[in-house]
Amino acid sequence: MRPAGLRPAWLAAGVLAVLVAVVAGLAFGSVSLPPGAVAVELLNLIPGVDLHSGLTEREVAILTELRLPRVVLGLLVGAMLSLAGAAYQGAFRNPLADPHLLGVAAGAGLGVTAVIVLRPAAGATGGLPLGVPVAAFLGGLIAVAMTWILGATGGRDRSPSTLILAGVAVSAFLAAMQTYLLQRHVESLREVYSWLLGRLATAGWHDVLVVLPYTVLTAAIVLTQRRELDVLTVGDEEASSLGLHPQRSRYLLIIAASLGTAAAVSVSGLIGFVGIIVPHTVRLLTGPSYRSLLPLSLLFGAAFLTLTDLLARVAGGAAEIPIGVVTAFLGAPFFIVVMRTSRGITT
């Protein structure tokens, strides 16, 4: 039976969720702004539009210089982590696959840590250099390759449980290497530790510009593979008989998803479980077809992380909660539920 396509109603719901998340993320925080005035100020960003929002000059500065780059970065990171999670689940035919659990995030984290601790020796100053996503990508790609190889049991067969266990082992090994690096460079400990817990709090336009090209490239590649992912669900032999080259499609998806994850990790730190929570929620609402799952995961992932960041800002009061802590609180019980019911999920 032909997989169902993307329904306009769900697409509209995804766009609406993003708009609501953007306005809420900009309006609320340590200083609350009227949502209607925030919406007017967003319209003023359109060339040729000049409307009176009623906000003071200080409030406009808070909105455009502090909150707007943070919200935009949250949208990009949430979209990437969610889309990568959905792509990994399809490529590995494993409902538990996630950038965190496959070791990709840990590999990318090790790459970023290496750049941070070696940066003083290279004489670099200021924010994260543009080469950080490249280091993160190489680390993430090496990690997912290690997980893929170690996850094989008795030849080329890879069960969901062995693949995840291999990912846990790879993550632990890379985390040990990261700890060793930090012990050798204790002067960078605070910066790296702050980054590990998620760092949207320090987001700026520089971070947005760093991650944006990787986001566009990853989304373009993964979204064009929607049909291939649907075909992969029937098995490699059947997919080959339908004219698909399974390994070629799988490698393309893994490389693209690793690139997107690495770029997101390089600017936001380790934010886990987004790639589990959002795709599985979308799958439960709209069905298993990747024709709708991928674009909706992108939209709802962007909205989810923006709203989660807002929760992290307002729940901790003056002491903001790291966003990685909030996603772990939400994601750990969600993962347990998915793990216990994964046999009934069609990927």
Side-chain angles (χ1 to χ4, degrees):
M1 184 171 62
R2 184 176 179 178
L6 176 60
R7 294 182 179 178
W10 280 116
L11 180 61
V15 173
L16 180 62
V18 171
L19 293 176
V20 170
V22 168
V23 173
L26 293 174
F28 302 110
S30 57
V31 176
S32 294
L33 305 173
V38 168
V40 171
E41 281 297 332
L42 290 178
L43 292 175
N44 281 336
L45 297 177
I46 301 174
V49 177
D50 186 14
L51 301 173
H52 179 64
S53 65
L55 296 180
T56 66
E57 187 175 339
R58 173 176 172 270
E59 290 172 332
V60 172
I62 292 174
L63 176 67
T64 58
E65 297 177 16
L66 296 179
R67 291 185 183 171
L68 190 56
R70 179 170 183 164
V71 166
V72 173
L73 189 64
L75 292 173
L76 295 176
V77 171
M80 276 302 90
L81 294 178
S82 177
L83 189 66
Y88 282 132
Q89 287 153 25
F92 289 114
R93 299 182 63 198
N94 186 334
L96 301 178
D98 171 81
H100 239 68
L101 298 173
L102 293 175
V104 182
L110 178 60
V112 175
T113 301
V115 171
I116 291 177
V117 300
L118 297 176
R119 183 175 49 175
T125 58
L128 293 177
L130 293 175
V132 162
V134 177
F137 171 62
L138 292 176
L141 202 59
I142 292 172
V144 75
M146 293 170 63
T147 299
W148 178 250
I149 294 171
L150 294 174
T153 56
R156 300 180 61 182
D157 295 334
R158 294 171 176 83
S159 70
S161 58
T162 54
L163 196 64
I164 295 304
L165 289 174
V168 171
V170 170
S171 295
F173 176 72
L174 297 177
M177 292 183 64
Q178 193 174 36
T179 302
Y180 174 78
L181 270 179
L182 289 176
Q183 284 186 333
R184 302 287 294 179
H185 300 83
V186 291
E187 70 279 2
S188 302
L189 184 62
R190 183 171 182 175
E191 183 180 2
V192 174
Y193 185 69
S194 174
W195 171 81
L196 285 174
L197 296 177
R199 55 183 297 276
L200 291 183
T202 58
W205 289 115
H206 170 81
D207 298 309
V208 173
L209 293 177
V210 167
V211 76
L212 183 60
Y214 300 95
T215 302
V216 173
L217 179 61
T218 299
I221 294 174
V222 174
L223 290 177
T224 57
Q225 296 296 306
R226 290 175 292 172
R227 173 187 170 276
E228 284 75 3
L229 280 170
D230 277 329
V231 175
L232 283 174
T233 60
V234 301
D236 284 8
E237 290 187 6
E238 290 82 355
S240 298
S241 67
L242 294 173
L244 181 70
H245 194 301
Q247 292 302 332
R248 185 187 302 164
S249 297
R250 186 170 285 119
Y251 290 147
L252 178 62
L253 283 162
I254 291 172
I255 291 173
S258 300
L259 177 62
T261 300
V265 167
S266 69
V267 296
S268 67
L270 300 182
I271 301 174
F273 295 105
V274 179
I276 285 283
I277 295 174
V278 178
H280 279 287
T281 303
V282 172
R283 188 179 283 113
L284 287 173
L285 293 173
T286 67
S289 171
Y290 285 91
R291 294 171 192 255
S292 58
L293 179 62
L294 291 180
L296 291 179
S297 292
L298 186 147
L299 291 173
F300 283 107
F304 170 78
L305 197 66
T306 303
L307 292 175
T308 304
D309 181 49
L310 174 61
L311 177 63
R313 275 189 278 154
V314 301
E320 182 175 319
I321 302 174
I323 188 173
V325 174
V326 178
T327 58
F329 273 128
L330 298 174
F334 191 94
F335 174 76
I336 293 172
V337 172
V338 172
M339 184 176 64
R340 293 178 65 87
T341 59
S342 60
R343 289 183 179 179
I345 296 175
T346 302
T347 58

